[in-house]
């Protein structure tokens, strides 16, 4: 088999989701070449840390636009997704990002610290009580995804945006639809129907909310965004941009952190020596533990880009117009940077070099908030319940190219 045929086979399998089922598949790709190009598929997959980092910062590499098949541009799903800053570069991205950044200033985050700690304690207390109650009848305990991993970050971002917590379940359903739009695999027609219905509901909800917030401003970022739209005149923030980026902030503000928290429960249970290390000094060690868990778990699997001019990455020359798939999950396990990359090492000295928050102009806007939530969670969990138990169970991850998270995890306290 020639090198080009090998690349075609690997990328064809990757495109069909082989890396979602086989934990060693990305290593196989990286071993062939960390920049693996297949002109046949019109796709290059980046699996090396250095190569991904270079791509994220290269001026001739841009984000993939949110597109679809014929007629898709007329759907509510397209209207919700296309104006998100996630799919913009240059001036339009800078404009949108600068407005959203108001929610993540050091002062705002510091004001959230005590709230996050109190909320974490409340959720852990409730989860422990539910686990003890369940253990009287069922040894499985409590689903920690539902009990802690989801409600913690969603409650925080809802508060920062200035929304009410009464719509939490609706937000969850919408978030799952946005996650599927970002990277869902083999979605059946009925799921597409539900996604489109959710997208229409999102547009109606945030349009009505924006009208209400302009009439009666409230604390929180959405009031600021609504005011920016009203002040726009020259198009500083369009109605479509307001709606799309309100949805993005809601979803991105909790989806990946939820996956990190649930994954942390499981990873620490699977590595008792690392859990013991963290439990010996939770407050002092939680920050570095968070970085290593972000590296190890990769809540964001990857993202898409394309080249706007011919360029060279690693030892591969790429043509203009080449689509790129950046595998953060693989870059975070690159043995050229991380010794024993498959091993969880909470004291790893270079853990913070991970790609969990991407890099370059699109570096995650909420990275500081995610770190604060995770560090607080780990400190409180290891202080209060260092001996929690994860019973033997089948572990399944959501089938998604972009996001990596557990579907459920039973925990006993």
């Amino acid at each position: 088999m020639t090198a080009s045929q090998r690349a075609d086979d690997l990328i064809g399998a990757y495109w069909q989701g082989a890396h979602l089922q086989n934990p060693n598949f990305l290593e196989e790709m990286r071993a062939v070449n960390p920049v693996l190009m297949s002109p046949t598929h019109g796709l290059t997959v980046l699996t090396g840390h250095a190569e991904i980092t270079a791509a994220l910062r290269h001026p001739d590499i841009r984000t993939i636009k949110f597109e679809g098949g014929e007629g898709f541009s007329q759907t509510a799903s397209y209207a919700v997704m296309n104006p998100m800053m996630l799919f913009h570069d240059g001036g339009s991205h800078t404009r949108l990002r600068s407005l959203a950044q108001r929610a993540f200033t050091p002062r705002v985050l510091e004001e959230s610290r005590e709230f996050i700690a109190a909320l974490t304690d409340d959720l852990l207390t409730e989860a422990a009580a539910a686990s003890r109650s369940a253990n009287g009848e069922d040894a499985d305990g409590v689903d920690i995804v539902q009990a802690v991993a989801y409600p913690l970050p969603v409650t925080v971002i809802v508060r920062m945006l200035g929304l009410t917590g009464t719509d939490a379940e609706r937000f969850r359903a919408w978030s799952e639809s946005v996650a599927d739009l970002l990277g869902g695999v083999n979605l059946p027609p009925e799921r597409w129907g539900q996604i489109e219905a959710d997208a229409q509901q999102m547009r109606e909800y945030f349009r009505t909310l924006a009208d209400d917030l302009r009439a009666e401003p409230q604390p929180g970022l959405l009031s600021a965004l609504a005011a920016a739209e009203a002040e726009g005149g020259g198009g500083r923030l369009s109605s479509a941009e307001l709606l799309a980026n309100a949805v993005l902030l809601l979803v991105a503000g909790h989806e990946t952190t939820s996956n990190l928290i649930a994954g942390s429960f499981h990873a620490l249970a699977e590595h008792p020596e690392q859990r013991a290390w963290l439990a010996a000094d939770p407050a002092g060690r939680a920050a570095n533990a968070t970085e290593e868990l972000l590296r190890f778990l990769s809540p964001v699997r990857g993202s898409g880009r394309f080249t706007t001019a011919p360029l060279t990455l690693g030892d591969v020359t790429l043509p203009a117009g080449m689509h790129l798939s950046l595998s953060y999950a693989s870059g975070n396990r690159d043995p050229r940077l991380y010794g024993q990359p498959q091993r969880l090492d909470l004291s790893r000295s270079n853990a913070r070099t991970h790609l969990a928050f991407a890099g370059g102009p699109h570096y995650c806007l909420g990275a500081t908030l995610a770190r604060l939530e995770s560090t607080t969670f780990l400190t409180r969990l290891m202080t209060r319940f260092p001996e929690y138990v994860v019973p033997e169970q089948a572990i399944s991850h959501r089938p998604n190219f972009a996001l990596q998270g557990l579907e459920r995890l039973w925990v006993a306290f």
Side-chain angles (χ1 to χ4, degrees):
M1 180 183 293
T2 66
S4 61
Q5 288 174 326
R6 177 66 170 153
D8 286 347
D9 288 349
L10 285 169
I11 289 180
Y14 174 88
W15 195 242
Q16 294 301 314
H19 60 301
L20 305 182
Q21 287 83 38
N22 178 0
N24 298 318
F25 187 80
L26 293 172
E27 292 181 40
E28 295 175 23
M29 296 188 76
R30 195 191 318 111
V32 174
N33 197 314
V35 181
L36 196 61
M37 180 174 66
S38 169
T40 301
H41 294 286
L43 179 67
T44 297
V45 180
L46 308 186
T47 52
H49 189 286
E51 293 79 10
I52 293 169
T53 300
L56 289 168
R57 298 173 179 170
H58 201 291
D60 293 328
I61 294 178
R62 298 299 182 96
T63 60
I64 295 289
K65 305 308 175 188
F66 188 80
E67 299 173 333
E70 185 177 352
F72 187 67
S73 63
Q74 306 304 312
T75 65
S77 297
Y78 179 87
V80 164
M81 300 294 286
N82 181 259
M84 288 182 179
M85 69 183 82
L86 198 62
F87 305 109
H88 287 251
D89 287 299
S92 63
H93 174 256
T94 300
R95 174 173 56 87
L96 294 167
R97 187 180 175 96
S98 66
L99 289 168
Q101 219 152 7
R102 300 179 188 184
F104 302 102
T105 63
R107 179 183 63 80
V108 170
L109 292 172
E110 187 57 36
E111 289 173 353
S112 300
R113 186 179 298 274
E114 288 187 10
F115 173 76
I116 292 171
L119 175 61
T120 302
D121 273 334
D122 288 346
L123 291 171
L124 287 172
T125 297
E126 292 169 7
S131 171
R132 286 192 292 270
S133 174
N135 281 339
E137 305 171 1
D138 182 350
D140 285 341
V142 62
D143 179 5
I144 212 65
V145 175
Q146 299 287 345
V148 177
Y150 172 72
L152 173 56
V154 79
T155 302
V156 172
I157 195 63
V158 161
R159 179 177 183 261
M160 293 180 74
L161 290 175
L163 300 171
T164 67
T166 56
D167 290 319
E169 281 309 307
R170 183 189 301 188
F171 295 154
R172 170 146 204 175
W174 291 349
S175 294
E176 290 175 351
S177 287
V178 171
D180 280 345
L181 283 167
L182 285 171
V185 179
N186 298 325
L187 301 176
E190 58 270 20
R191 179 58 183 147
W192 279 112
Q194 183 58 56
I195 289 171
E196 181 66 6
D198 285 346
Q200 188 60 48
Q201 290 178 16
M202 284 183 245
R203 297 186 70 201
E204 293 170 359
Y205 177 92
F206 284 104
R207 178 74 274 159
T208 300
L209 181 64
D211 291 341
D212 292 344
L213 290 175
R214 277 193 298 273
E216 296 184 33
Q218 303 292 326
L221 177 63
L222 289 186
S223 272
L225 291 178
E229 181 197 12
E231 295 164 2
R236 185 182 178 205
L237 184 65
S238 73
S239 174
E241 289 170 338
L242 168 65
L243 296 174
N245 288 287
V247 171
L248 175 62
L249 288 167
L250 173 63
V251 174
H254 79 269
E255 184 74 31
T256 54
T257 308
S258 294
N259 293 341
L260 173 62
I261 290 172
S264 296
F265 269 103
H266 185 239
L268 292 173
E270 291 287 292
H271 298 80
E273 77 291 348
Q274 294 300 307
R275 173 158 56 168
W277 179 85
L278 179 57
D281 182 13
R285 296 175 173 177
N288 203 77
T290 287
E291 303 302 334
E292 173 66 354
L293 286 162
L294 282 162
R295 181 200 71 83
F296 186 77
L297 296 169
S298 294
V300 178
R301 292 184 192 270
S303 65
R305 297 289 191 273
F306 72 98
T307 61
T308 60
L311 57 94
T312 299
L313 282 179
D315 61 0
V316 178
T317 299
L318 303 173
M322 171 62 69
H323 283 248
L324 310 176
S325 180
L326 282 56
S327 176
Y328 304 146
S330 177
N332 284 339
R333 303 283 182 102
D334 191 334
R336 296 175 298 172
L337 181 61
Y338 304 109
Q340 295 183 284
Q342 308 300 333
R343 177 175 176 264
L344 180 70
D345 178 5
L346 299 183
S347 63
R348 192 181 294 273
S349 60
N350 66 344
R352 197 179 172 94
T353 60
H354 62 75
L355 296 165
F357 297 127
H362 284 270
Y363 182 79
C364 177
L365 193 62
T368 304
L369 175 61
R371 286 183 164 116
L372 174 59
E373 290 175 333
S374 175
T375 301
T376 303
F377 152 72
L378 290 174
T379 300
R380 301 310 302 147
L381 175 66
M382 288 293 100
T383 298
R384 297 185 58 198
F385 303 105
E387 301 300 325
Y388 74 89
V389 174
V390 174
E392 186 175 343
Q393 59 195 281
I395 300 297
S396 60
H397 290 80
R398 294 165 60 186
N400 194 291
F401 265 71
L403 304 172
Q404 181 163 227
L406 294 168
E407 292 187 319
R408 65 191 60 82
L409 183 71
W410 295 100
V411 172
F413 290 89

